[in-house]
Amino acid sequence: MIKPIRITGLILFLLTLLWVVLMGLSTIAIEPGWGPVDYVKWVSEPSLSYRLNYINVSVLTLGVVLFFTLLYSYLKQRSEGAALAGLIFVPIYGVMNLICYSLQISLVPFLAQAAMGHPESMHGVSQWIQANPASAAGFINGLAYAVLGIPSIIFGYLLMAESGKFSGLTLMLNGIFCVIGIIGMMLDIRILSMGVMVGGFLFLVSLGCIWFELRSRMPRSSTSGLTSTNKIEN
């Protein structure tokens, strides 16, 4: 079970790095004072990096669901009840984020293009744009990460108990900051809403820590076998 976790974690690490690059490229034109009309105009002519970004994060979401499912299988040996309590929230996160991200690829740009000739519909369309922090889609996206924050905290605690000190701690902190982020969105406190971004960075660090810390727990049967063979030959 450790090997699939490490492989999946490494793939997620690379996809998350790709997300950072594509997000930066696709949102570079966004300015702080933008309103609904500005976001609709921006999405009505989506760049290649925009579409690639949402394709990537859709795949990333599926990978995260798989990763947490594998973590559950690994950690249930320590506490099946706690691990199961965390796993319950994973598909909820997956469905929410997949819907949010997949709509951005084609449907939202189509709606934005249609709204260009109808100014009265621009505010409604802007609510579907995930990059708009004041939109319903943006809130659902933040809520999805807050939901994932619950298994992150639970699995992080169990990882710490499994001697994965840094991986467990960073995974727990990722979950805590994501929950803080949705609280900030609900209270309209910008500095708290940045918790989702901080949580994303901590998740990236956690993936790296998991890859390294679980490496020491990999079975060394092949190495032992070679050692035994050498002893017999000597």
Side-chain angles (χ1 to χ4, degrees):
M1 186 54 63
I2 293 176
K3 187 175 180 180
I5 292 174
R6 294 183 71 238
I7 292 173
T8 306
L10 179 60
I11 293 172
L12 288 182
F13 184 87
L14 297 174
L15 288 176
T16 304
L17 286 179
L18 181 60
W19 164 71
V20 172
V21 173
L22 290 174
M23 182 184 65
L25 291 174
S26 63
T27 61
I28 195 170
I30 296 178
E31 299 180 7
W34 272 19
V37 174
D38 299 302
Y39 279 102
V40 172
K41 288 181 178 179
W42 172 66
V43 174
S44 67
E45 297 180 358
S47 62
L48 177 62
S49 60
Y50 170 91
R51 293 188 189 276
L52 289 176
N53 178 44
Y54 284 109
I55 292 172
N56 177 64
V57 290
S58 297
V59 175
L60 181 59
T61 298
L62 292 173
V64 170
V65 171
L66 174 61
F67 181 70
F68 273 82
T69 303
L70 292 172
L71 274 183
Y72 160 76
S73 298
Y74 174 65
L75 295 171
K76 69 179 181 180
Q77 303 169 37
R78 174 162 290 275
S79 178
E80 186 168 3
L84 183 59
L87 182 67
I88 291 172
F89 293 93
V90 175
I92 299 174
Y93 149 83
V95 170
M96 293 174 70
N97 246 10
L98 270 180
I99 292 174
C100 180
Y101 287 146
S102 61
L103 291 178
Q104 309 300 315
I105 299 171
S106 296
L107 180 60
V108 172
F110 172 78
L111 293 175
Q113 290 168 8
M116 293 304 294
H118 306 277
E120 69 280 359
S121 64
M122 284 193 172
H123 179 76
V125 172
S126 71
Q127 291 299 306
W128 291 85
I129 301 174
Q130 181 268 336
N132 177 11
S135 69
F139 179 79
I140 291 172
N141 180 228
L143 182 59
Y145 283 108
V147 169
L148 187 66
I150 298 173
S152 294
I153 294 170
I154 295 173
F155 289 3
Y157 174 79
L158 294 176
L159 272 174
M160 289 181 68
E162 282 286 322
S163 301
K165 294 182 180 179
F166 292 107
S167 56
L169 178 61
T170 49
L171 191 59
M172 284 182 67
L173 289 174
N174 153 64
I176 291 170
F177 272 98
C178 285
V179 172
I180 291 174
I182 195 62
I183 293 173
M185 289 181 182
M186 294 173 69
L187 299 178
D188 196 22
I189 303 176
R190 182 169 177 78
I191 191 168
L192 291 183
S193 65
M194 293 299 291
V196 176
M197 295 300 295
V198 176
F201 171 76
L202 288 168
F203 182 67
L204 184 65
V205 174
S206 177
L207 288 172
C209 290
I210 288 173
W211 192 87
F212 280 106
E213 290 183 344
L214 289 188
R215 185 180 183 181
S216 63
R217 302 180 70 87
M218 290 280 288
R220 301 182 181 277
S221 56
S222 57
T223 305
S224 301
L226 288 171
T227 304
S228 301
T229 303
N230 290 336
K231 286 182 179 180
I232 292 172
E233 290 177 351
N234 293 333

